[in-house]
Amino acid sequence: MGRKGQSISAIHNGQVTEIFQDANSGLTVVVKHNNYQVYYGSLLKVAVEKGDFIRAEQEIGKMGSCDAEPYDHLHLAIKENDDYVDPLLIINKD
């Protein structure tokens, strides 16, 4: 958990492949990094655009909430080849 408006930063270098509104995770940005797709959800607003190349620690957006989880937080999910993986295995990798 965090606070509304808190800056959310990229965990690795990559390219923004999608920005969309999701029923479960709210405003979401997807960043492709090698074989991984990192989903940053429950955002209040975004600071990137689809197609942008971003660097680790660059701001993705601001923390918010969503209808399914109405409290301030980051909904972080990581997929490798369409399978969800434990974020802790990826965050400190590379």
Side-chain angles (χ1 to χ4, degrees):
M1 300 233 315
R3 67 183 191 293
K4 184 176 183 177
Q6 180 178 338
S7 180
I8 301 299
S9 301
I11 59 174
H12 291 298
N13 298 339
Q15 184 176 22
V16 178
T17 58
E18 297 180 70
I19 299 173
F20 59 91
Q21 187 71 36
D22 183 80
N24 292 317
S25 60
L27 182 57
T28 301
V29 172
V30 181
V31 177
K32 181 162 178 28
H33 166 73
N34 295 332
N35 293 331
Y36 303 103
Q37 296 81 41
V38 182
Y39 293 74
Y40 301 87
S42 297
L43 299 175
L44 177 65
K45 60 183 176 179
V46 299
V48 294
E49 294 183 11
K50 185 176 178 178
D52 284 355
F53 288 93
I54 60 171
R55 65 188 187 293
E57 300 182 19
Q58 180 176 336
E59 184 177 76
I60 298 290
K62 302 290 185 185
M63 182 180 295
S65 61
C66 62
D67 291 341
E69 300 172 317
Y71 50 88
D72 299 331
H73 70 288
L74 169 65
H75 187 98
L76 181 71
I78 300 177
K79 287 185 175 181
E80 179 180 25
N81 303 321
D82 294 325
D83 294 320
Y84 287 101
V85 297
D86 182 349
L88 294 177
L89 297 176
I90 308 306
I91 290 173
N92 295 319
K93 191 174 184 177
D94 293 340

